[in-house]
Amino acid sequence: MACEDAHPGAELLDFAQFRNSSTQFLVYGYDGRSLPELRAREFGRLAGNPHSQSISSKLTHDTVEQVRYRILAHFHTSPEDYSVIFTAGTTAALKLVAEAFPWVSPGQESSGSLFCYLTDSHTSVVGMRMVAKSVNVPSIPVRPEDMWSAEKRGAAARDPDCQLPHLFCYPAQSNFSGTRYPLSWIGEVQSGQTCPVSAPGQWFVLLDAASYVSTSSLDLSVHQADFIPISFYKIFGFPTGLGALLVHNRMAPLLRKTYFGGGTAAAYLAGEDFYIPRQSVAERFEDGTISFLDVIALKHGFDALESLTGGMENITQHTFTLAQYTYTALSSLRYPNGAPVVRIYSDSDFSSPEVQGPIINFNVLDDNGTIIGYSQVDKMASLYNIQVRTGCFCNTGACQRHLGISDEMVKKHLQAGHVCGDDVDLIDGQPTGSVRISFGYMSTLEDAQAFLRFIIATRLRPSSGQAIPQATPGEAGAPLAESEAHNAVTATMSRCRASPQEDTRTDSRVWNDLLTAMDAVGLRPPVLAANRTQQTPSEKAAGVLNGGVGPHVITNLYLYPIKSCAAFEVTRWPIGNQGLLYDRSWMVVNHNGICLSQKQEPRLCLIQPFIDLQQRIMVIKAKGMDPIEVPLENGEQAPICQSKVCADRVNTYDCGEKISSWLSKFLGRPCHLIRQSSNFQRNAKKKHGKGQSDDTTATLSLVNEAQYLLINRSSVLELQQQLNASDENGKEAMLPMKDLISRFRANIITNGTSAFEEEKWDEISIGSLRFQVSGPCHRCQMICIDQQTGQRNQDVFQKLSESRQRKVNFGVYLMHVSLDLSSPRCLSVGSQVLPVLKENASGHDLPASEAHQDVIS
C-alpha cells in the first residue's frame, strides 16, 4: 500500500503521542471546546491583515485603497492631487503636521519660520505651538478681526525668491459658534495676497475641517489647502478613534519624519543608522497596522450618507434651516419685563449657510440679565431628554472673545479650582463657559421644537409669587423637643418598607435587633446638652450660635447601605472612621463593573436594605421579590476587583452569584453587588479648615464626596412651600415633607431657625463629636426621582434652581475632626447640634466658593 511505502519522516507527528512523551504538562484548547468552530465564529476577520501577502490580505489592502479613493471623491479631488493618511483622529492628524512640517529655526542667515493660528481654533490646533517651540519657531495668534482687516488691506510687498516656509492654521467652521470663515483665505494666503503677519517667505495653509465637513461639502478642487485634518466620527457618528489627514501632493516631498514604525520602511538596518522610507506618503506616515476594519466600514458610511440624504448639499440646507429657525425663535424669547431669555454668541445673524453653520452657542439669562450657569442648564436639559454641550468646547480663544474673559481672568479661574471640562460654571458671578446646541443630518424639526419648549417651560413658566411662611412651633423647621423628635422618627419608620403591602414583621425584627445589639455594645443615647456649663472647643470659637432661638436638634438619621438604593432610617447608630457604620459600603455595578446610580437606573430606590447588627446580616427587599440576606462580613474570599467612584479607584469584591441573580432579575439587566474591600483606604480630597492639620487624612466609603450630608428642615420647608404654591388652576399638589427629605438622601436631618443657615456654618459639634463643614452639596438630577416610586419629575430641581438663583446647592457636607474611636461612638435622634459660624458669614444666601460633587447617590 502507498502508506506502507511512504518515508517514515513523512508521517504527521501524532499529537497525543507528542503530549504523552513530553516531560512538561502541556495544555491545548479551552475547556474541551472546539477551537476551529470558535475561531470560525468569532475571528473570521483575522484572515484580512493588509500587511500579509495572502489572497485574502491582498483583498483587504485593495479595499482600503478603494476607501481612500472614495474619501477623495467625497471632497471633489483625486489621488493625483491629494493623499489620504489615516490617523487616530483629528488631533493625531494635527500632531503629525506639527512634527513633520519643514520648520526652519532662526539663525544668522534666516529669520526662521512662523506658526500662525486663528485664535478661534480648537485646542489641538493651538497645541501645535509646543512642537514649533521645540525648534525655536515662534507662534503668533491671529484674531479673526485681524484676518478680515488683512483681507481688505491686500497684499504686502513679497520677495518671490524667499522660500522660507510658514504655516497658517484656521478652521473652516468655528466649533464654538458655528462661524464659517472664508475658504478664499486659503488661496489668498498661499499666494501672498493676504498675510496673517508680514514676513518674507512662503505660506502654507492648514484648514481644520473637522467641524465643517460634518454638514457641508468641501470642494478641494477649488480650495486647495495644503493640509486638511478630518474626523469620520463627526461625519457618520462612527467609528471613534479614526480620522485622516489629507495632504496635497505638492507638500508631501517637503514633510520630514523622525520616527519610523512597522510598514513605513522600504529598508533599514538594525545594526547601522540606515533607513529608507517608502515612497508613498500614506505608507511613510501610517506607522504600524492601521485600523483596517474601521477603514473598510467607512465605505458603508459614505454609501448610507448618500442614499439617505442625496448628498452633502442637501444636508447643508436641511441643518441650516433648523439652525435658522431655532435661532430666530430663541432670540425672540422675552421675559414679561422685556428682558431677553438668552444671550447668543455669534458673528452672524444666521442669514446664510455660507457664513454660519448649524451651531448655536448661548447662555441663559434670568429676568435681570444675570447669566445662569451652564451646568445648571445642562442638568435641567437632561430632565427633558435633551443633550447639550457645555463649557468652552476646547476653544478657549473663542470663549474668551465672545464671553469677554481676559487672560488674567482665565488664570484667576484656574487658581479658583476651575479646569477645562469641569462644572464650575460661574466664578464671582461671571461665566466660565456657555451652552452649545448643534444639528446633524438626522436632526428633526421635532428636536428643535423640543429644545425650545424646554427653554420656555423652565424660564417662562408662570411663578406663583406667594410669600414663604415662617416656621412655627410644631411645624417642620421649628425646634423639636426630644420626645417630638423621637415621635417623628417612629412615624416615618413604616415607609422603610419596600411596599405598603409587605409584612412588617421582618422590619420590626431587624429594627428591634438593631437596638438590642447597640445596647449590648454599650451605645447609650446621648443626653441633650443644652444646659451643660463646660464649654467645648467649638463653643469657645468665635461666632457660636446662641441666644433665645432654641437648640438645633437631630430629627432624623439615615444610612444608605447600598449606594443609590433606598434609605435605612434609624434613631441611633454607631459611627466608624468613614461615617455612619455601613453607610454606602456596597454598590450595584453593571456587567462591565461600572457603578449604577439612580440617574441610569431609577428603580434602585425601590431596593430596600436593612442592617441587622445582632445577626450581622443585611436583609434586602423589593416588591415582587423574596427577601435575600447578605452577610455583613464574608471574609472577602472573592477575588479583589477594581471599580471607580467619582474618578477614584476603589478595591472591591463581588458578593456572589446569588445576590447578583436577585438584582439582575429585579432590574432586568445583568448586574452585581460589590463591597468595598476593608483593607483598601480611599482618602478624601483635602480641604483644610479649622481643626484640620496637613496630616489629617479622612477616609471615605463609596460616597461621592464626603463622610456625611446634613440638611436643615427649615430649608426643606421653604422649598416645600414654593412647590406647594397654587398652580394656574388653583389646585394644590401637596408634596409631603418626608418625601422631599428623602429626595436629598442626607444622613443627618436637623431642625433649624432659618432656611439655608447651614451654609453659614464652619463646623458643628454633636456631643463630643466634632465635624468640619466642608462645603455645600451641589445637586444633580437625582433629586427629581421620587424615592417611593422611582418616577422622575423635574419640578423639585427646577424650583430649587429658580429659588436659589445660582448653583443648585442644598445641604452641606461634613467630615470628622479628630475622631477618636477608642470607645464606641454613635449619633442619635434628639441630640443637640451646636454650629459655629464662618468668620465672614452674613445673610442666609451666601455664594458658594467651591463646586462639589453630589453625594446623594
Side-chain angles (χ1 to χ4, degrees):
M1 295 177 64
C3 60
E4 294 175 346
D5 297 335
H7 190 278
E11 291 121 354
L12 183 67
L13 177 62
D14 183 77
F15 185 67
Q17 181 181 349
F18 161 72
R19 292 180 65 182
N20 293 335
S21 63
S22 174
T23 58
Q24 296 177 301
F25 177 70
L26 301 177
V27 176
Y28 172 76
Y30 308 100
D31 297 330
R33 288 181 289 178
S34 171
L35 201 55
E37 292 180 5
L38 186 64
R39 189 174 73 176
R41 184 176 71 248
E42 302 289 346
F43 300 98
R45 65 185 184 277
L46 292 180
N49 191 309
H51 284 183
S52 170
Q53 295 300 316
S54 68
I55 295 175
S56 57
S57 295
K58 182 65 166 59
L59 177 61
T60 299
H61 174 271
D62 292 345
T63 305
V64 168
E65 294 307 299
Q66 190 65 32
V67 172
R68 294 187 204 270
Y69 301 152
R70 182 64 183 274
I71 292 170
L72 294 175
H74 182 77
F75 295 109
H76 307 281
T77 188
S78 68
E80 283 69 38
D81 291 326
Y82 281 91
S83 296
V84 178
I85 302 172
F86 289 114
T87 64
T90 305
T91 297
L94 292 164
K95 183 171 181 284
L96 189 157
V97 174
E99 294 173 341
F101 191 80
W103 305 110
V104 175
S105 301
Q108 294 181 349
E109 299 180 357
S110 169
S111 59
S113 299
L114 295 176
F115 171 53
C116 293
Y117 57 89
L118 206 68
T119 53
D120 188 353
S121 287
H122 194 278
T123 300
S124 299
V125 171
V126 180
M128 295 171 67
R129 71 187 184 192
M130 299 303 291
V131 179
K133 182 180 180 181
S134 68
V135 291
N136 297 319
V137 170
S139 299
I140 303 175
V142 180
R143 300 181 307 160
E145 296 86 350
D146 296 332
M147 277 301 294
W148 286 319
S149 298
E151 191 177 20
K152 295 177 181 178
R153 190 168 56 246
R158 179 189 173 195
D159 182 359
D161 296 328
C162 182
Q163 298 299 309
L164 192 64
H166 307 301
L167 181 63
F168 174 57
C169 301
Y170 81 98
Q173 173 178 291
S174 168
N175 74 307
F176 182 91
S177 64
T179 296
R180 289 185 166 173
Y181 294 103
L183 296 177
S184 59
W185 284 357
I186 297 170
E188 293 171 3
V189 170
Q190 290 170 335
S191 66
Q193 181 181 345
T194 300
C195 292
V197 295
S198 179
Q202 181 178 0
W203 285 94
F204 296 90
V205 177
L206 182 152
L207 182 72
D208 179 4
S211 178
Y212 181 85
V213 299
S214 63
T215 57
S216 290
S217 174
L218 177 61
D219 190 343
L220 293 182
S221 68
V222 177
H223 306 291
Q224 296 189 353
D226 299 286
F227 307 99
I228 305 97
I230 59 175
S231 167
F232 297 111
Y233 173 72
K234 287 183 171 62
I235 300 174
F236 307 123
F238 88 101
T240 58
L242 181 65
L245 176 66
L246 278 57
V247 181
H248 200 287
N249 290 336
R250 65 170 174 255
M251 189 65 202
L254 302 179
L255 298 180
R256 301 180 299 200
K257 196 161 187 280
T258 54
Y259 169 83
F260 66 92
T264 65
Y268 77 96
L269 292 174
E272 182 182 325
D273 187 11
F274 174 78
Y275 160 69
I276 302 297
R278 289 184 178 269
Q279 289 299 310
S280 163
V281 65
E283 291 180 325
R284 200 185 333 154
F285 282 94
E286 289 174 351
D287 294 301
T289 302
I290 63 172
S291 184
F292 60 90
L293 294 176
D294 288 337
V295 169
I296 293 172
L298 295 178
K299 178 182 181 302
H300 303 285
F302 283 112
D303 290 345
L305 198 71
E306 186 71 27
S307 64
L308 293 174
T309 67
M312 295 304 298
E313 291 297 336
N314 292 339
I315 293 175
T316 300
Q317 296 302 322
H318 169 75
T319 54
F320 177 75
T321 299
L322 289 175
Q324 188 183 55
Y325 165 76
T326 307
Y327 168 82
T328 303
L330 199 60
S331 57
S332 67
L333 293 179
R334 293 288 188 273
Y335 287 103
N337 64 0
V341 173
V342 300
R343 179 178 299 157
I344 297 175
Y345 305 111
S346 175
D347 291 311
S348 80
D349 57 359
F350 284 70
S351 59
S352 164
E354 297 297 320
V355 296
Q356 179 64 48
I359 292 173
I360 304 175
N361 195 304
F362 64 96
N363 267 318
V364 177
L365 311 175
D366 65 15
D367 55 2
N368 294 317
T370 303
I371 289 177
I372 297 170
Y374 61 74
S375 178
Q376 186 172 328
V377 176
D378 184 22
K379 290 177 179 179
M380 284 300 302
S382 68
L383 298 177
Y384 287 78
N385 294 319
I386 295 172
Q387 308 304 315
V388 297
R389 282 287 305 274
T390 60
C392 276
F393 321 102
C394 293
N395 191 332
T396 300
C399 192
Q400 286 186 257
R401 175 170 168 259
H402 285 285
L403 274 66
I405 303 174
S406 67
D407 294 349
E408 291 72 23
M409 290 171 67
V410 172
K411 297 173 184 177
K412 181 182 177 182
H413 293 170
L414 177 63
Q415 293 174 347
H418 170 56
V419 297
C420 293
D422 66 16
D423 62 352
V424 181
D425 49 15
L426 295 172
I427 296 179
D428 296 332
Q430 299 301 312
T432 64
S434 55
V435 182
R436 186 186 76 186
I437 61 172
S438 55
F439 297 97
Y441 73 93
M442 280 292 112
S443 296
T444 66
L445 176 61
E446 288 74 16
D447 295 332
Q449 292 178 332
F451 167 75
L452 292 168
R453 290 192 188 99
F454 151 67
I455 295 293
I456 292 170
T458 56
R459 302 315 311 165
L460 299 177
R461 188 174 65 175
S463 175
S464 64
Q466 292 187 4
I468 306 303
Q470 297 297 315
T472 56
E475 283 188 292
L480 292 178
E482 183 175 11
S483 61
E484 291 175 310
H486 176 75
N487 290 338
V489 174
T490 304
T492 58
M493 277 305 298
S494 61
R495 69 183 181 87
C496 287
R497 300 195 304 275
S499 71
Q501 292 76 24
E502 290 190 25
D503 192 348
T504 63
R505 287 178 294 176
T506 301
D507 299 354
S508 301
R509 176 180 57 80
V510 172
W511 179 245
N512 292 332
D513 288 346
L514 170 62
L515 295 179
T516 301
M518 292 181 66
D519 286 335
V521 296
L523 295 177
R524 300 285 186 247
V527 177
L528 285 174
N531 297 322
R532 68 184 177 191
T533 57
Q534 183 178 357
Q535 287 186 312
T536 67
S538 299
E539 291 171 320
K540 294 177 182 178
V544 171
L545 295 176
N546 52 23
V549 296
H552 296 76
V553 173
I554 296 177
T555 64
N556 304 81
L557 282 174
Y558 299 97
L559 62 147
Y560 307 83
I562 305 175
K563 184 178 176 70
S564 252
C565 291
F568 177 44
E569 185 171 11
V570 297
T571 56
R572 193 168 33 143
W573 196 257
I575 64 174
N577 59 2
Q578 296 176 336
L580 290 172
L581 192 63
Y582 299 120
D583 183 45
R584 297 172 174 94
S585 292
W586 293 265
M587 68 180 179
V588 180
V589 297
N590 66 11
H591 62 286
N592 291 320
I594 307 301
C595 175
L596 290 179
S597 75
Q598 290 183 26
K599 294 178 188 177
Q600 302 89 28
E601 185 52 77
R603 296 182 74 241
L604 283 169
C605 70
L606 305 180
I607 297 175
Q608 175 67 64
F610 302 87
I611 299 291
D612 188 327
L613 290 178
Q614 188 174 48
Q615 298 192 36
R616 305 204 59 76
I617 59 171
M618 174 171 62
V619 179
I620 305 174
K621 300 172 66 179
K623 185 177 181 179
M625 303 288 291
D626 292 331
I628 188 171
E629 297 179 359
V630 174
L632 296 183
E633 312 292 341
N634 68 353
E636 302 190 22
Q637 301 299 321
I640 297 296
C641 55
Q642 291 192 349
S643 189
K644 275 194 171 184
V645 174
C646 287
D648 291 342
R649 179 182 58 84
V650 291
N651 282 359
T652 60
Y653 62 88
D654 197 300
C655 295
E657 285 301 319
K658 185 177 178 181
I659 182 61
S660 173
S661 299
W662 191 94
L663 290 168
S664 300
K665 179 180 179 181
F666 179 74
L667 296 175
R669 63 161 79 182
C671 52
H672 297 264
L673 183 69
I674 62 175
R675 168 98 189 260
Q676 185 175 10
S677 177
S678 61
N679 57 10
F680 177 79
Q681 181 169 299
R682 177 186 171 216
N683 296 327
K685 297 175 178 64
K686 290 192 175 183
K687 297 182 179 70
H688 302 309
K690 291 192 298 182
Q692 289 181 304
S693 61
D694 286 345
D695 58 356
T696 301
T697 301
T699 60
L700 300 178
S701 61
L702 299 176
V703 297
N704 285 2
E705 178 78 15
Q707 294 170 333
Y708 300 87
L709 177 61
L710 176 147
I711 64 173
N712 170 12
R713 280 179 169 265
S714 291
S715 305
V716 182
L717 174 65
E718 180 169 301
L719 178 61
Q720 182 194 39
Q721 296 293 342
Q722 293 168 343
L723 288 166
N724 290 342
S726 297
D727 62 18
E728 61 270 22
N729 296 319
K731 298 178 181 178
E732 288 200 0
M734 293 298 296
L735 189 61
M737 173 70 76
K738 66 178 183 178
D739 289 353
L740 257 184
I741 288 176
S742 69
R743 292 189 182 217
F744 293 106
R745 299 179 63 81
N747 299 109
I748 302 171
I749 317 298
T750 71
N751 65 330
T753 58
S754 62
F756 304 107
E757 63 178 319
E758 63 275 15
E759 295 180 3
K760 298 189 296 182
W761 298 348
D762 185 61
E763 66 173 58
I764 65 171
S765 294
I766 304 175
S768 61
L769 299 171
R770 291 176 57 209
F771 303 88
Q772 184 74 38
V773 178
S774 60
C777 179
H778 182 42
R779 291 298 175 170
C780 70
Q781 305 93 318
M782 274 183 59
I783 63 174
C784 297
I785 299 173
D786 186 324
Q787 296 298 298
Q788 278 65 51
T789 66
Q791 298 299 309
R792 297 180 189 269
N793 184 296
Q794 62 264 30
D795 288 349
V796 174
F797 187 92
Q798 183 167 330
K799 180 57 66 177
L800 192 60
S801 171
E802 294 170 359
S803 62
R804 300 310 309 273
Q805 297 182 347
R806 55 180 176 85
K807 285 285 191 181
V808 187
N809 296 331
F810 201 94
V812 292
Y813 294 127
L814 304 178
M815 302 288 277
H816 291 303
V817 176
S818 305
L819 180 65
D820 179 11
L821 291 178
S822 58
S823 60
R825 307 277 182 172
C826 73
L827 287 177
S828 298
V829 168
S831 296
Q832 185 177 1
V833 177
L834 297 175
V836 177
L837 279 173
K838 295 177 181 177
E839 292 180 359
N840 61 346
S842 62
H844 81 268
D845 195 19
L846 296 177
S849 59
E850 297 177 353
H852 294 271
Q853 295 288 334
D854 194 342
V855 77
I856 64 173
S857 65

